[in-house]
């Protein structure tokens, strides 16, 4: 009995098609690369169609190192670095900062850059189509910092009593995790009020959502554009988190909408919280839907918890490593609070505290690549360099922070560096050289019209926590270590060590 003859042509046709498609794709990418204006820019790492992926893999794990290498090789010049699915064009220096902040949105788009980097369509939902929450931050949030400062202070005290109770002996806690718990409670006391801000399930939801967004975005960005919808649909946990958040917030929103319908917006007993502020800034009917309000509250928490936790954690690591600054900062905090109480005004009087925190972020910023933009149409820089449409660009901020021409003795931690720069101000409280200020040398919150609108709340929150720690605790790293916990990096992000522990005890020194 003879065996059937296999039709090898039929079996091999899919392989042939895949091979042909691969060859076509490679040839197309090669021709595209040769024709692109980006070909004229110097490259850090490999620039070949295939070899560039070697650099792209390094970018995934250690972007800050590549950015600093480029900054030192090509000071004040554009250069490019390969990422998995795109080229990243890197700019630096005051001139480039000024060019980016002046460029119109239809040429350089922050919204589109965030959408690509964070994959907002799959991680945050469609809240970036009409980002009216930015209006909410600039109006409702910022305007209520003074009026709700007592609530911020009260929740800080309650949170510290729970997570870091005052004890005569040293108490060891996981630094990042503990800070995140305190930040989450405090920011939600401001946003949504008690008792919901203290609900363990609600807090866990908001903290986990932050983690889900970051991890999901990193995974989705590993894939080419045509695969992102498929990957995003099956990897993101946004629908689940939205349902969980709806269970907590939905009844509150229903009650608020019904109350406004019955009594009008001028109801004097209407709660002064983020739900009301979002409704005040709504510009479309769907902005008043439960689904939209819930998504935006999740988004506001993501922005507030993630960055603020990183900032305070870095500051506390440096506080533990530099006890020589404690006495002067403690005295300053005590005097400010005695004169002005726990208030926004008191926070502005803490120049040394502000300087210490700004110096901590200079050496350990939350990102090495800030003011990111997506080029929406070909952009010609003042030096004639052409950046083509579709390019992702930004400023090498962490490398600038270590530039000796900008910060003398740049590699040394000088806690009062910026306070000394303000010595000629007298009693004037200008924002120059302050953490909340926008400067060309040290970019923390962006610059120009797209600077972070939530920075006023964030800075007041973490300064209040930092002052509370100074006035009540002694702090050191686990077992009195004098070695700074190494940062973690993911692409251009710089994250504080999430495994390190801090030790607290009731303050013993004067």
């Amino acid at each position: 009995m003879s065996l059937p003859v296999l039709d090898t042509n039929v079996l091999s046709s899919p392989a042939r098609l895949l091979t042909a498609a691969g060859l076509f794709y490679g040839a197309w990418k090669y021709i595209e690369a040769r024709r692109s204006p980006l070909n004229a820019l110097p490259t850090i790492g490999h620039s070949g169609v295939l070899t560039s992926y070697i650099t792209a893999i390094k970018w995934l794990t250690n972007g800050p190192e590549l950015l600093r290498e480029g900054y030192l090789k090509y000071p004040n010049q554009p250069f490019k670095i390969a990422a998995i699915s795109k080229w990243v064009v890197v700019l630096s220096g005051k001139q480039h900062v000024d060019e980016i902040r002046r460029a119109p949105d239809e040429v350089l788009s922050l919204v589109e850059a965030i959408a690509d980097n964070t994959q907002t369509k799959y991680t945050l939902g469609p809240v970036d189509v009409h980002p009216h929450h930015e209006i909410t931050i600039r109006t409702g949030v910022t305007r209520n910092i003074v009026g709700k400062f007592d609530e911020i202070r009260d929740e800080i005290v309650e949170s510290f009593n729970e997570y870091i109770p005052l004890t005569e002996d040293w108490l060891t806690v996981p630094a990042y995790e503990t800070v995140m718990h305190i930040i989450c409670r405090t920011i939600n006391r401001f946003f949504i009020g008690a008792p919901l801000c203290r609900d363990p399930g609600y807090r866990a939801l908001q903290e986990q959502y932050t983690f889900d967004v970051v991890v999901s975005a990193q995974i989705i960005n590993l894939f080419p554009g045509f695969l992102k919808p498929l990957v995003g649909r099956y990897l993101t946990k946004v629908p689940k988190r939205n349902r969980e958040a709806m269970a907590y917030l939905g009844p509150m929103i229903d009650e608020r909408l019904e109350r406004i319908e019955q009594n009008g917006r001028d109801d004097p007993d209407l709660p002064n919280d983020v739900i009301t502020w979002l409704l005040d800034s709504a510009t479309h009917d769907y902005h008043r839907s439960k689904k939209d309000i819930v998504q935006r509250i999740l988004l506001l928490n993501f922005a507030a918890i993630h960055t603020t936790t990183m900032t305070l954690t870095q500051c506390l690591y440096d506080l533990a490593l530099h006890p020589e600054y404690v006495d002067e900062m403690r005295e300053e905090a005590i005097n400010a609070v005695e004169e002005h109480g726990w208030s926004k005004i008191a926070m502005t009087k803490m120049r040394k505290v502000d300087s210490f925190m700004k110096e901590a972020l200079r050496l350990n910023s939350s990102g090495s690549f800030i003011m990111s933009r997506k080029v929406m149409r070909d952009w010609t820089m003042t030096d004639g360099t052409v950046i083509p449409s579709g390019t992702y660009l930004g400023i090498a901020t962490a490398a600038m922070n270590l530039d000796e021409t900008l910060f003398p003795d740049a590699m040394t931690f000088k806690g009062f560096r910026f306070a000394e720069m303000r010595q000629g101000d007298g009693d004037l409280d200008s924002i120059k050289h302050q953490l909340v200020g926008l400067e060309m040398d040290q970019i923390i919150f962006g610059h120009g019209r797209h600077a972070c609108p939530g920075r006023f709340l964030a800075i007041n929150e973490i300064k209040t926590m930092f002052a509370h720690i100074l006035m009540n605790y002694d702090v050191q790293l686990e077992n009195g270590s004098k070695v700074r916990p190494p940062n973690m990096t993911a692409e251009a992000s710089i994250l504080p060590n999430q495994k390190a522990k801090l030790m607290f005890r009731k303050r013993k020194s004067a």
Side-chain angles (χ1 to χ4, degrees):
M1 182 177 177
S2 60
L3 294 174
V5 178
L6 295 176
D7 186 347
T8 56
N9 288 330
V10 173
L11 288 176
S12 62
S13 57
R16 289 176 178 175
L17 287 173
L18 287 173
T19 301
L23 291 172
F24 176 80
Y25 178 77
W28 174 68
K29 293 295 288 184
Y30 177 78
I31 294 171
E32 183 185 55
R34 296 290 292 178
R35 291 178 174 177
S36 173
L38 292 181
N39 203 43
L41 297 183
T43 306
I44 296 301
H46 299 279
S47 59
V49 173
L50 296 178
T51 57
S52 61
Y53 283 95
I54 298 173
T55 303
I57 292 172
K58 185 175 182 180
W59 170 260
L60 285 175
T61 57
N62 204 348
E65 181 181 316
L66 292 170
L67 289 164
R68 180 154 171 75
E69 178 185 345
Y71 184 86
L72 295 174
K73 281 187 178 180
Y74 307 106
N76 299 313
Q77 299 178 53
F79 59 89
K80 66 181 187 291
I81 300 173
I84 290 294
S85 58
K86 60 180 177 284
W87 284 102
V88 175
V89 171
V90 185
L91 309 178
S92 60
K94 297 179 182 180
Q95 176 62 37
H96 291 164
V97 171
D98 190 52
E99 288 192 57
I100 289 179
R101 75 181 184 89
R102 289 177 179 274
D105 293 342
E106 58 268 24
V107 178
L108 300 184
S109 173
L110 171 64
V111 171
E112 291 299 324
I114 293 173
D116 284 355
N117 192 48
T118 314
Q119 292 297 313
T120 53
K121 183 177 180 180
Y122 311 109
T123 58
L124 297 172
V127 292
D128 60 330
V129 178
H130 292 287
H132 83 277
H133 52 270
E134 293 183 7
I135 301 174
T136 302
I137 297 171
R138 296 180 193 279
T139 55
V141 169
T142 301
R143 291 174 184 173
N144 278 285
I145 294 174
V146 173
K148 292 173 75 75
F149 206 96
D150 285 346
E151 293 182 48
I152 294 174
R153 168 63 181 162
D154 179 65
E155 201 59 41
I156 288 172
V157 172
E158 292 297 321
S159 297
F160 272 87
N161 287 343
E162 178 174 339
Y163 295 111
I164 315 176
L166 285 170
T167 57
E168 297 294 336
D169 296 325
W170 288 106
L171 174 68
T172 304
V173 299
Y176 187 88
E177 178 184 333
T178 304
V179 169
M180 182 166 61
H181 293 334
I182 295 171
I183 292 289
C184 184
R185 268 185 61 160
T186 305
I187 200 67
N188 277 284
R189 174 68 180 271
F190 181 85
F191 281 159
I192 214 70
L196 185 56
C197 70
R198 298 174 183 174
D199 185 290
Y202 181 77
R203 294 203 317 269
L205 160 66
Q206 297 294 0
E207 293 173 8
Q208 187 61 41
Y209 183 78
T210 298
F211 177 80
D212 289 342
V213 168
V214 173
V215 172
S216 296
Q218 290 175 346
I219 293 173
I220 295 169
N221 277 319
L222 292 175
F223 293 84
F226 69 92
L227 287 177
K228 291 185 191 298
L230 184 65
V231 175
R233 186 175 300 115
Y234 290 103
L235 288 181
T236 179
K237 296 182 179 179
V238 168
K240 178 182 178 183
R241 300 304 176 207
N242 282 339
R243 289 192 299 270
E244 293 173 350
M246 182 66 74
Y248 285 106
L249 298 168
M252 294 178 65
I253 297 170
D254 280 336
E255 186 275 336
R256 192 70 46 84
L257 291 170
E258 182 179 353
R259 190 166 179 173
I260 291 175
E261 184 177 352
Q262 291 178 350
N263 304 327
R265 174 60 184 88
D266 295 330
D267 181 351
D269 296 322
L270 202 65
N272 184 30
D273 61 17
V274 74
I275 296 175
T276 298
W277 306 335
L278 283 167
L279 289 170
D280 284 345
S281 61
T283 55
H284 294 77
D285 287 341
Y286 76 87
H287 289 164
R288 297 177 177 86
S289 70
K290 283 195 296 183
K291 180 180 179 181
D292 190 80
I293 293 172
V294 167
Q295 287 179 329
R296 292 181 196 274
I297 292 175
L298 285 169
L299 172 61
L300 291 173
N301 269 275
F302 165 71
I305 295 172
H306 181 58
T307 54
T308 312
T309 297
M310 292 194 297
T311 297
L312 184 56
T313 302
Q314 296 285 27
C315 291
L316 291 180
Y317 287 157
D318 282 316
L319 180 66
L321 286 171
H322 298 284
E324 66 271 21
Y325 293 101
V326 169
D327 287 345
E328 288 188 61
M329 289 194 294
R330 180 173 286 158
E331 180 182 7
E332 180 183 67
I334 291 172
N335 291 339
V337 171
E338 284 181 350
E339 183 175 356
H340 302 284
W342 285 100
S343 65
K344 185 179 178 182
I345 294 176
M347 297 305 110
T348 66
K349 301 299 180 181
M350 299 182 192
R351 294 188 175 194
K352 292 177 181 178
V353 169
D354 190 278
S355 176
F356 185 95
M357 297 173 69
K358 187 172 182 180
E359 179 74 348
L361 293 186
R362 183 184 69 82
L363 289 171
N364 296 280
S365 59
S366 60
S368 57
F369 187 73
I370 300 180
M371 292 185 70
S372 58
R373 302 287 190 272
K374 184 175 182 179
V375 182
M376 305 308 293
R377 63 170 186 248
D378 291 0
W379 180 50
T380 303
M381 299 175 64
T382 55
D383 65 357
T385 300
V386 177
I387 310 296
S389 175
T391 303
Y392 183 72
L393 60 80
I395 299 292
T397 48
M400 287 177 62
N401 288 344
L402 301 179
D403 191 327
E404 289 284 339
T405 64
L406 299 175
F407 303 101
D409 205 7
M411 300 303 293
T412 301
F413 183 94
K414 294 185 175 181
F416 297 155
R417 180 189 298 269
F418 300 101
E420 292 168 0
M421 293 180 181
R422 298 174 63 192
Q423 283 181 349
D425 291 350
D427 292 330
L428 297 177
D429 287 314
S430 67
I431 63 172
K432 188 176 182 180
H433 304 308
Q434 286 191 50
L435 185 56
V436 76
L438 304 178
E439 299 177 11
M440 295 290 196
D441 293 337
Q442 186 180 1
I443 312 298
I444 300 174
F445 298 103
H447 214 297
R449 65 187 179 281
H450 289 305
C452 173
R455 67 188 186 277
F456 300 99
L457 173 61
I459 294 305
N460 276 282
E461 182 184 15
I462 60 176
K463 282 178 76 172
T464 305
M465 292 179 183
F466 197 80
H468 177 83
I469 291 169
L470 285 170
M471 294 170 64
N472 291 279
Y473 297 90
D474 292 328
V475 184
Q476 66 178 21
L477 289 169
E478 187 176 21
N479 298 321
S481 171
K482 293 299 179 182
V483 178
R484 198 181 202 283
N487 290 325
M488 304 161 57
T489 58
E491 294 190 336
S493 297
I494 301 173
L495 310 173
N497 192 295
Q498 296 183 18
K499 295 182 179 180
K501 295 181 178 180
L502 285 169
M503 301 179 73
F504 293 82
R505 72 178 178 190
K506 185 177 180 180
R507 167 186 147 200
K508 294 188 180 298
S509 55

